[in-house]
Amino acid sequence: MNKGVLFLVSGPSGAGKGTVLKNFLPKHPDMFYSISATTRAPRPGEENGVQYYFMTAAEFEKLRMEGGFLESATFCGNSYGTPRAAVMEKLEKGIDVLLEIEVQGALQVMENYPEGIFIFIAPPSMDELRTRLVGRQTEEASVIETRLARAEEEMALAEKYTYIVVNDIAERAAEDLEAILVAEKLRTARRK
Ligand code: ADP
Ligand code: 5GP
């Protein structure tokens, strides 16, 4: 049996990863979407075990020290990590996995799991990224500035990814993601 394929999506905060995946994921109920752990506080409406596993810094660090994360990174003052066991178990069972993580964590996965498919979701411009982050109204102004500064660094790493999808129109970006998935699954090497 073939192993599952690990798809990883990243890109600057506000580029529209969540929006594009909301369109894409319901069409792929067989795919395992990895729920990350984070030390950031839940946003209104976010629930533990749905968007994230919300943890204290001590809980997160304990799991990290035990090797419980496939990757982990600090992003704008909070820790984020991908629980390792669930992801590896699904891949072994032949189930495709989708990770949505930031760039430093993605670089770790590229190193440790190079057979993954790495997709960078880019905003059409930095001005539009600012407009989207401000419009989302989930962070205060200082956090938005930190995220935008980080976005400049992240954009410079886009070239390390297998694919770049520009999220100009969200539905189009979801179609691009769909095309990547279809093509990857048709690879000769996966059709044994
Ligand atoms: P991310 O998950 O990358 O941080 P979000 O999906 O939360 O980004 O999107 C950030 C904001 O931009 C949201 O308010 C969302 O509605 C908006 N948005 C996302 N994609 C588009 C798009 N293609 N065109 C216009 N606005 C968008
Ligand atoms: P947010 O706080 O907006 O939910 O997420 C901030 C950033 O953390 C986003 O770029 C998101 O992709 C990233 N992120 C979410 N989960 C993980 C994870 O498990 N690992 C890493 N490295 N980044 C993550």
Side-chain angles (χ1 to χ4, degrees), residues 128-140:
E128 174 63 14
L129 185 66
R130 175 181 289 275
T131 304
R132 288 183 188 174
L133 268 180
V134 171
R136 190 169 68 183
Q137 297 186 317
T138 49
E139 279 84 20
E140 56 185 64

Side-chain angles (χ1 to χ4, degrees), residues 6-191:
L6 184 146
F7 292 91
L8 185 155
V9 168
S10 50
S13 178
K17 302 179 294 294
T19 304
V20 173
L21 291 180
K22 214 178 274 174
N23 188 316
F24 173 85
L25 277 171
K27 295 178 188 138
H28 298 279
D30 294 342
M31 200 166 207
F32 175 71
Y33 177 74
S34 163
I35 299 172
S36 298
T38 184
T39 62
R40 110 156 141 64
R43 293 177 184 142
E46 285 186 335
E47 278 179 58
N48 190 37
V50 179
Q51 288 80 12
Y52 283 105
Y53 297 111
F54 294 99
M55 292 185 178
T56 63
E59 287 166 343
F60 189 96
E61 193 50 25
K62 181 168 181 289
L63 196 53
R64 198 179 70 77
M65 293 303 284
E66 289 167 0
F69 291 123
L70 181 61
E71 60 70 40
S72 65
T74 304
F75 180 85
C76 299
N78 290 301
S79 301
Y80 295 81
T82 303
R84 180 194 298 274
V87 168
M88 298 323 283
E89 181 195 310
K90 302 291 177 197
L91 291 174
E92 284 304 324
K93 283 189 179 156
I95 297 169
D96 298 335
V97 169
L98 181 71
L99 308 184
E100 191 255 89
I101 72 174
E102 57 68 61
V103 171
Q104 294 308 317
L107 296 181
Q108 294 168 40
V109 182
M110 287 176 198
E111 190 82 19
N112 301 330
Y113 201 84
E115 58 269 54
I117 306 302
F118 301 94
I119 303 155
F120 189 89
I121 300 206
S125 69
M126 294 309 275
D127 279 351
E128 174 63 14
L129 185 66
R130 175 181 289 275
T131 304
R132 288 183 188 174
L133 268 180
V134 171
R136 190 169 68 183
Q137 297 186 317
T138 49
E139 279 84 20
E140 56 185 64
S142 66
V143 177
I144 289 179
E145 291 311 318
T146 317
R147 287 185 175 224
L148 283 169
R150 177 81 177 227
E152 301 272 1
E153 299 164 19
E154 292 173 330
M155 291 297 288
L157 293 166
E159 64 182 30
K160 296 198 176 290
Y161 285 70
T162 327
Y163 297 97
I164 299 177
V165 170
V166 177
N167 175 23
D168 194 345
I169 297 162
E171 293 74 20
R172 267 294 306 276
E175 282 169 22
D176 287 351
L177 212 55
E178 196 66 47
I180 293 168
L181 177 87
V182 172
E184 286 296 337
K185 298 295 289 182
L186 291 174
R187 269 183 194 270
T188 312
R190 296 197 217 287
R191 311 202 74 192

